[in-house]
Structure formats: C-alpha cells, structure tokens
Amino acid sequence: MTALNKDGYSLRLDYPIHFDYDETEFVPVEPLPKTVSVNVSGNGWNLLRKSWLSFAERPLEYKVSNPLKANFINTISLTDNLAEHFPGIQVNYVVADTLELDFERKKTRIIPVRVDSSGINMRQGYVISSLINVSPSLISVEGPASMLNTYPDTIVVRIPTRKIQNNYDEILPLNIPKVQSVEVSHSNVLVSFEVARILRNIPALQ
C-alpha cells in the first residue's frame, strides 16, 4: 500500500468518448468507438482511483464539424482534451485501435413488400377467397447511401405453411440482409387472407 504513494507509475485506461456530429444528416459507415485507450502516469493512488472511476466520468466530447471530410481521429486533440478530465495526472498519449473515420450522408429507401402468391400451398379443394393482406406493405431502410444498394427493389415473403385449409393470419420474418450501420423499420410482417372450400366443380367456359 505504501508503494502506491510514489509517483512515476503509468497505466492504460479505457475512457468513454462521444462523437458530436449532425446525426440527422450523416451516418458512420463503421460503428464509432465507445471508448479510447489513454496512457497516463502519476501518483499510484491517483491512478488507482482513475482506473476505478473512469467510466463514471462524463464522456470525452469529440466534435466532427465536417463528417464528409473527416478521415481520421485527431489523437493530439484528444490528448489535450483528456488532460482536462485527469487533473493531477499526466496524460501521455492516446492509444487508438483505429484512427480512421468514414461518414456518408444518411439516406432512406422505401421498399415494397409482397407475398409470393404462386408459392402458397393449398389443400386440395381449397382456394384463397380474398385479397392477400400484408402489413406493413412498405418498409424503410436508413443508413449510408452506398450500403442501401445491397437491398432489393422488392422484398418477397414466402409462406412456409403447407396444405392450408383455414383462414390464414400469421406473422412472418422478412429475411432481409442485416447490413452494418443500416436501420430497418420492420423485421416481420403480418400476412392474412381468407380461405374457402370449393363445394362443386366450376364448369368450364364454353
């Protein structure tokens, strides 16, 4: 315990960071780090307290003024800002796992959803007797413009149930690709339709 009273110790701490940018207009292509690692030195007791309390501290604010031109994290600026969060401790440098930043403008696409009606498997003697309802019939995907191109123009839902003979009302997954940094409004849809039994053969048209 006495040794902790001495100066000259060094320690690597993870410190919370928050990136300040216009989130309504821009979106990071890759998730931004939630913490940065910082190398500090000083009195043993001070370092020990910081190692316990660093995540209770207010996050370090890093302002990104022009996201489309911001290509990397300025570690010198981070080091200077961190010094305010570590009174009585020497902030030596920031240890960044990645220095790169990559922002794009945020875009939104609206994609229609339809049911593969030709693939619905009905029990013999039964037919669909109403419109096929899909709710929602439109979904939105929001994220970096370049990544939205990975989504199809139309999302087709296939009904797995076989030999359907009763009115259908099920929640089905959309099975759309999960792309990093893209938010999808819905992952499931409600599909419903009515079913009727054919009581007699329908005469052929003459």
Side-chain angles (χ1 to χ4, degrees):
M1 302 291 286
T2 303
L4 290 175
N5 291 317
K6 298 179 180 179
D7 295 328
Y9 289 97
S10 62
L11 186 66
R12 176 172 168 166
L13 298 174
D14 289 327
Y15 198 85
I17 184 172
H18 175 260
F19 290 84
D20 181 14
Y21 61 95
D22 187 351
E23 297 183 32
T24 63
E25 292 290 332
F26 305 99
V27 60
V29 175
E30 298 290 338
L32 296 170
K34 297 183 181 300
T35 62
V36 291
S37 295
V38 55
N39 182 279
V40 296
S41 58
N43 177 270
W45 282 113
N46 287 341
L47 294 182
L48 184 61
R49 282 194 294 270
K50 273 297 176 184
S51 68
W52 287 344
L53 300 176
S54 61
F55 276 98
E57 298 282 356
R58 68 187 189 279
L60 175 67
E61 291 288 331
Y62 185 85
K63 187 172 181 60
V64 185
S65 300
N66 193 336
L68 296 181
K69 293 184 177 180
N71 298 320
F72 61 90
I73 299 172
N74 187 331
T75 56
I76 296 176
S77 174
L78 280 184
T79 302
D80 293 340
N81 291 339
L82 277 166
E84 301 177 7
H85 293 248
F86 290 88
I89 293 176
Q90 175 66 41
V91 178
N92 299 318
Y93 54 87
V94 171
V95 185
D97 294 327
T98 176
L99 299 177
E100 295 182 356
L101 292 176
D102 189 6
F103 285 88
E104 289 187 20
R105 288 199 177 276
K106 181 183 287 187
K107 298 291 184 181
T108 301
R109 276 186 61 195
I110 303 300
I111 305 177
V113 181
R114 70 172 182 84
V115 173
D116 177 16
S117 57
S118 64
I120 299 177
N121 185 274
M122 306 295 295
R123 182 177 290 277
Q124 186 173 358
Y126 291 82
V127 295
I128 297 172
S129 59
S130 71
L131 293 175
I132 299 175
N133 300 303
V134 183
S135 180
S137 59
L138 300 170
I139 68 162
S140 67
V141 291
E142 183 179 75
S146 63
M147 292 188 175
L148 297 189
N149 294 330
T150 62
Y151 289 85
D153 293 331
T154 301
I155 296 175
V156 179
V157 178
R158 293 176 173 81
I159 295 179
T161 308
R162 299 183 61 81
K163 297 183 178 180
I164 297 172
Q165 65 179 24
N166 298 311
N167 292 341
Y168 192 84
D169 189 349
E170 295 289 342
I171 296 175
L172 299 176
L174 290 177
N175 294 324
I176 54 180
K178 293 182 179 180
V179 180
Q180 200 164 316
S181 299
V182 174
E183 295 183 6
V184 181
S185 62
H186 296 81
S187 58
N188 301 287
V189 291
L190 174 65
V191 177
S192 64
F193 53 84
E194 295 179 4
V195 174
R197 184 177 182 180
I198 302 174
L199 299 179
R200 58 186 177 84
N201 291 332
I202 299 174
L205 295 177
Q206 298 297 325

